[in-house]
Amino acid sequence: ERKPRSVKFACTMEKSAPHRVLAARGWREVDDDSWDVMWADTAWVHDNVTYNVTTQPQRLRENQRVNHFPNHVELTRKDLLAKNVKRAKRQAEKDGTDPSEFDFIPKTYALPGEGQMLLRDFREKGGTWIMKPIGRAQGTGIFLVNKAKQIEDWLKKRGTEVAENKLSDDYVCQRYVDNPYLVDDRKFDMRIYVLCLSYQPLKVYLYREGFARFANTPYSTAKSDLKNQYIHLTNHAIQKRDVDYDPEVDDLKMPIRDLYAHILSKHGQEAADRCFAGIHSVIINALRSVQQVMINDRHCYELYGYDVMIDENLRPWLIEVNASPSMSSDSQTDADLKAALLDDTFTALDAEEMFEGRTPPRVGGFDLACDDNALTRTAEWGGLPTLLGADNSDRLEALERLRRWCAKGKAGEERAKARGA
């Protein structure tokens, strides 16, 4: 029976959930460069895993793995994501493949550079748009606009700040999805967890569990409510500031499994499956859109937090992708989910060298969604279009099956296949 190799880890965030999970695995923490698995903030990766791979000294050893790709911003910065998705769509048109596969982000302009294009579009079509700083998180700096003058004033203010050498954020302005699907009259988005182990070729696991995050106030399109963040922004960090928020009554979260069940009960199997199949496609196609520009350093992996909305037609929209999804918790359910998610992430890295080059179809709550650039399915999927929202109560059993599969080894698996033949 194969035995796991001993693993050393490092973490730049002491007393964090990742640090606790790494230590609980029985791996040994080190404070030098002898680590096998690193969980770091993005600043550490930018300093230590250089962009210019052709001239990079071999700082990282063969077996070392770190949790961000060097230029992850191609996917996780709002303006670059929009640029890459637009380019992927143009390339699909040239190649004769279906460009609609990349129709999953609202129309987006990068500001201030595309300010005049935005104003032309706005004067022609009007509507409500949402302004977001490109590099901030947790809803900071976001606001809605519905008049050309609001955009003109922002551009003028931004120009003045630059002239005065003041620090100021670049923004994106997106057409606002003003017809969101509502549950109990409230807007929500979904936080979905995706593990990318490689871009070339693409190798991706999708986590079964995630959650919908709700606004605390019923949705309204009234102009008088345009500035009300508690209606329009679902970021939990914002909603918690609402004086009417009471976590004892409602923590404003719903497991994705329950959301699927709600859509199923309201709209039927075909509509629910089509919606979740669409979400699955958005996840994979977003990664495909940056595949050619992402530096595929073999030492890197990344656990992304996707934020996805669905509109009243059950069409999914990608709002953004987070390189450092929050691992802090405000409930035991939340803490349990994130501890299991992190533990399964570290198992999927195979730092203990138990997989022998094989790719397991399931690792705890993770299901293999793409391997060697090809979409994957196993018998466990049955007739489902995705395992997002599938039952994960058998997670520990799945990990035990994985342990036995590892212990049997590649040779044992081949002998079993030969006997079956």
Side-chain angles (χ1 to χ4, degrees):
E1 183 175 309
R2 289 182 61 78
K3 299 289 184 190
R5 68 183 283 271
S6 61
V7 175
K8 293 181 277 190
F9 78 90
C11 180
T12 64
M13 293 162 274
E14 274 191 63
K15 298 181 181 175
S16 63
H19 185 272
R20 288 193 297 273
V21 171
L22 283 160
R25 292 178 67 88
W27 292 357
R28 183 160 66 89
E29 185 172 12
V30 295
D31 55 10
D32 57 21
D33 286 344
S34 66
W35 50 267
D36 302 295
V37 173
M38 164 67 82
W39 187 273
D41 53 83
T42 53
W44 186 94
V45 174
H46 295 160
D47 288 343
N48 291 276
V49 185
T50 177
Y51 281 62
N52 191 355
V53 290
T54 54
T55 59
Q56 179 183 345
Q58 190 57 38
R59 186 192 179 288
L60 300 181
R61 297 192 316 278
E62 181 64 32
N63 60 303
Q64 290 185 307
R65 304 298 300 274
V66 63
N67 63 316
H68 296 289
F69 287 89
N71 60 335
H72 63 84
V73 291
E74 297 287 349
L75 180 69
T76 60
R77 214 176 77 183
K78 300 172 186 77
D79 58 333
L80 297 179
L81 170 63
K83 180 190 78 172
N84 287 317
V85 170
K86 285 177 192 171
R87 190 188 59 244
K89 187 175 179 180
R90 288 196 303 271
Q91 190 61 47
E93 288 166 351
K94 281 184 195 171
D95 295 344
T97 56
D98 184 5
S100 70
E101 289 187 336
F102 298 100
D103 278 340
F104 53 74
I105 60 171
K107 192 162 194 179
T108 303
Y109 292 97
L111 302 182
E114 295 177 340
Q116 295 310 311
M117 291 166 61
L118 166 63
L119 282 168
R120 278 198 299 274
D121 195 349
F122 187 91
R123 289 181 183 121
E124 190 179 314
K125 296 171 186 167
T128 302
W129 295 68
I130 186 164
M131 300 274 291
K132 305 175 183 178
I134 62 170
R136 298 217 199 173
Q138 298 187 325
T140 309
I142 295 177
F143 60 97
L144 274 62
V145 295
N146 63 349
K147 295 185 180 74
K149 188 173 186 311
Q150 292 169 299
I151 300 167
E152 290 167 349
D153 288 349
W154 184 90
L155 289 167
K156 186 177 177 182
K157 181 171 178 274
R158 178 65 166 66
T160 302
E161 288 171 347
V162 170
E164 295 174 355
N165 289 322
K166 288 182 181 174
L167 282 175
S168 52
D169 291 303
D170 287 348
Y171 267 63
V172 294
C173 186
Q174 289 185 319
R175 184 166 282 283
Y176 184 57
V177 180
D178 59 5
N179 63 334
Y181 185 82
L182 305 177
V183 175
D184 294 333
D185 295 324
R186 292 180 300 167
K187 179 181 171 180
F188 66 90
D189 73 353
M190 286 172 272
R191 169 53 58 88
I192 298 166
Y193 297 104
V194 179
L195 176 63
C196 183
L197 295 179
S198 166
Y199 275 96
Q200 298 286 355
L202 194 60
K203 184 174 183 176
V204 183
Y205 282 92
L206 173 59
Y207 209 66
R208 294 182 171 203
E209 294 184 79
F211 46 87
R213 304 177 296 187
F214 285 83
N216 197 37
T217 306
Y219 185 68
S220 164
T221 54
K223 289 181 181 177
S224 59
D225 288 325
L226 206 63
K227 291 183 179 178
N228 190 333
Q229 293 185 317
Y230 304 126
I231 290 173
H232 295 288
L233 303 186
T234 56
N235 309 71
H236 207 57
I238 286 174
Q239 293 297 328
K240 285 193 295 186
R241 298 201 297 264
D242 187 348
V243 292
D244 295 326
Y245 170 67
D246 183 353
E248 299 298 320
V249 176
D250 184 355
D251 71 353
L252 302 180
K253 290 182 181 179
M254 174 191 284
I256 281 186
R257 181 170 174 77
D258 292 354
L259 177 64
Y260 175 83
H262 175 86
I263 295 172
L264 180 69
S265 68
K266 292 276 186 184
H267 305 281
Q269 185 85 46
E270 186 182 340
D273 283 353
R274 185 169 63 248
C275 175
F276 270 62
I279 296 169
H280 191 99
S281 294
V282 165
I283 288 164
I284 299 300
N285 288 331
L287 294 167
R288 285 176 54 213
S289 76
V290 300
Q291 197 179 1
Q292 302 308 317
V293 294
M294 196 68 73
I295 296 170
N296 189 55
D297 190 319
R298 69 183 184 280
H299 300 98
C300 301
Y301 65 97
E302 202 138 27
L303 177 63
Y304 295 115
Y306 273 65
D307 293 344
V308 175
M309 265 182 66
I310 52 178
D311 65 22
E312 62 187 5
N313 302 310
L314 297 179
R315 176 180 176 177
W317 295 94
L318 178 59
I319 303 305
E320 67 177 309
V321 183
N322 297 274
S324 302
S326 170
M327 290 297 152
S328 61
S329 308
D330 44 25
S331 71
Q332 193 57 49
T333 303
D334 206 25
D336 291 346
L337 164 60
K338 287 169 179 173
L341 167 72
L342 286 163
D343 194 43
D344 294 344
T345 296
F346 298 134
T347 299
L349 296 181
D350 192 29
E352 292 160 325
E353 297 181 358
M354 294 294 289
F355 296 174
E356 297 182 275
R358 299 171 295 164
T359 301
R362 184 175 177 188
V363 179
F366 277 117
D367 295 285
L368 187 65
C370 186
D371 188 28
D372 202 17
N373 291 329
L375 298 178
T376 57
R377 291 182 66 89
T378 65
E380 198 169 352
W381 290 50
L384 295 171
T386 178
L387 288 176
L388 175 66
D391 182 25
N392 196 32
S393 62
D394 66 340
R395 171 180 169 267
L396 294 178
E397 296 163 40
L399 287 171
E400 176 56 26
R401 289 195 297 273
L402 176 64
R403 189 197 66 76
R404 292 197 300 268
W405 178 79
C406 290
K408 185 189 290 184
K410 194 173 182 179
E413 189 180 35
E414 287 170 355
R415 282 195 299 273
K417 279 182 185 172
R419 283 198 299 272

